[in-house]
């Protein structure tokens, strides 16, 4: 049988390293009734966008859970990309290189985080549509800061001060909106990613996301807040 060349196709890579320290077994911990990684796998599978939904992990335990949730693990992550210092783009590069060795190439790659229960199939579908409709090299979900950072305080010599005093009396609505990464996914053209070797490409366009659909999860307090938000979001409260 000859090599399978999947040009023009889409690959989803869910990055789920073992060894989380702040929240042990974070990537497979139960979130609102099911392993948190299942939300990412389900959204990718249900979107109908991807030809392969794979989970990049170094953990056999995560592998078993991910496979039971519908993810594919054709190979485990190397030691090089399984340590605390490994960067996300290095993980994705390794995955693409391994698939290429197996005769499989993709036009698009979507790096999806395993602790992002607010990802939906619709967001992934819309991201692919935006790439098809534009000349952009990538799509990134972002969310506006809830309070204007331009009016932030700093503490110097024990005293509260404006970081930018010139913004003290500027109305919030007159300040430029600032945004941050939702921490959910990066949808990229593979050729641009291989050329630039970074997740935030030079030619990326946004999907602006509601604050109720975003929660960074780094500690247990974040986790509890994410569950509260998720229940409110899914019940339409």
């Amino acid at each position: 049988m000859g090599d399978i060349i999947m040009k023009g196709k889409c690959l989803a890579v869910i990055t789920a390293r073992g060894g989380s320290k702040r929240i042990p077994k974070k990537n497979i911990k139960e979130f609102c009734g099911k392993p948190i990684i299942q939300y990412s796998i389900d959204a990718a599978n249900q979107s109908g966008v991807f030809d392969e939904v794979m989970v990049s992990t170094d953990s056999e335990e995560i592998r078993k859970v991910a496979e039971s949730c519908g993810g594919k693990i054709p190979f485990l992550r190397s030691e090089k990309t399984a340590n605390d210092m490994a960067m996300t783009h290095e993980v994705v590069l390794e995955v693409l290189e391994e698939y290429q060795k197996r005769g499989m190439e993709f036009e698009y790659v979507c790096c999806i985080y395993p602790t992002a229960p607010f990802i939906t199939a619709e967001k992934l579908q819309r991201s692919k549509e935006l790439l098809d409709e534009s000349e952009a090299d990538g799509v990134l979900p972002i969310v506006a800061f809830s309070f204007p950072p331009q009016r932030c305080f700093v503490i110097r010599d024990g005293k509260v001060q404006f970081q930018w005093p010139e913004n003290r009396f500027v109305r919030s609505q007159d300040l430029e909106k600032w945004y941050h990464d939702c921490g959910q996914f990066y949808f990229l053209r593979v050729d641009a990613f291989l050329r630039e070797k970074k997740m935030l490409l030079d030619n990326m366009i946004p999907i602006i996301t509601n604050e109720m659909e975003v929660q960074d999860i780094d500690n247990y307090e974040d986790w509890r807040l994410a569950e509260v938000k998720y229940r409110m979001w899914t019940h339409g409260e």
Side-chain angles (χ1 to χ4, degrees):
M1 184 178 294
D3 290 344
I4 302 172
I5 306 299
M6 301 181 72
K7 292 195 181 248
K9 303 298 184 180
C10 293
L11 171 67
V13 180
I14 299 171
T15 54
R17 185 178 69 88
S20 175
K21 294 179 176 61
R22 283 174 291 190
I23 304 177
K25 300 186 180 181
K26 173 182 175 181
N27 293 327
I28 54 175
K29 179 177 167 63
E30 184 178 303
F31 181 94
C32 291
K34 57 186 180 182
I36 196 166
I37 195 173
Q38 186 172 346
Y39 295 89
S40 297
I41 294 172
D42 285 349
N45 280 326
Q46 291 166 12
S47 72
V49 166
F50 301 105
D51 300 276
E52 183 101 323
V53 176
M54 75 87 66
V55 176
S56 172
T57 186
D58 58 318
S59 163
E60 282 292 346
E61 185 175 15
I62 292 176
R63 180 179 196 162
K64 291 176 183 177
V65 173
E67 287 179 336
S68 72
C69 294
K72 294 182 179 179
I73 301 88
F75 47 85
L76 289 175
R77 190 181 298 193
S78 70
E79 289 185 16
K80 179 182 177 182
T81 57
N83 63 63
D84 290 339
M85 302 305 294
M87 304 296 288
T88 301
H89 75 275
E90 294 174 324
V91 175
V92 178
L93 279 170
E94 180 180 80
V95 167
L96 290 171
E97 288 168 1
E98 187 60 38
Y99 271 111
Q100 188 177 43
K101 291 175 186 176
R102 296 162 185 245
M104 300 169 69
E105 297 182 12
F106 300 88
E107 185 175 353
Y108 303 95
V109 61
C110 185
C111 174
I112 300 175
Y113 289 113
T115 54
F118 297 96
I119 289 178
T120 64
E122 292 73 23
K123 286 178 187 173
L124 294 169
Q125 290 166 350
R126 181 57 183 150
S127 296
K128 177 59 165 57
E129 289 170 2
L130 285 170
L131 280 177
D132 289 339
E133 294 166 359
S134 71
E135 296 183 358
D137 290 326
V139 175
L140 177 69
I142 61 175
V143 61
F145 284 96
S146 57
F147 184 86
Q150 300 97 317
R151 293 179 62 184
C152 74
F153 295 127
V154 292
I155 300 174
R156 295 193 178 119
D157 298 323
K159 297 178 181 178
V160 177
Q161 301 178 16
F162 279 102
Q163 172 67 12
W164 295 289
E166 64 272 23
N167 293 325
R168 179 173 185 171
F169 298 113
V170 179
R171 298 183 308 168
S172 296
Q173 59 265 40
D174 294 331
L175 292 167
E176 181 184 18
K177 273 192 176 294
W178 288 7
Y179 299 86
H180 63 87
D181 185 351
C182 290
Q184 296 182 357
F185 62 87
Y186 298 80
F187 212 132
L188 312 173
R189 294 186 191 274
V190 169
D191 59 350
F193 172 70
L194 293 177
R195 183 173 63 251
E196 298 183 33
K197 293 181 172 57
K198 59 186 180 181
M199 300 311 298
L200 186 63
L201 303 179
D202 294 338
N203 181 25
M204 291 193 78
I205 55 177
I207 285 184
I208 298 175
T209 306
N210 187 293
E211 192 174 0
M212 282 301 296
E213 301 174 30
V214 177
Q215 180 59 48
D216 194 33
I217 303 177
D218 283 330
N219 53 49
Y220 285 109
E221 184 176 327
D222 294 337
W223 191 282
R224 289 190 291 270
L225 182 55
E227 287 190 312
V228 170
K229 276 188 173 183
Y230 184 81
R231 291 189 178 102
M232 292 176 67
W233 179 55
T234 54
H235 288 81
E237 298 177 12

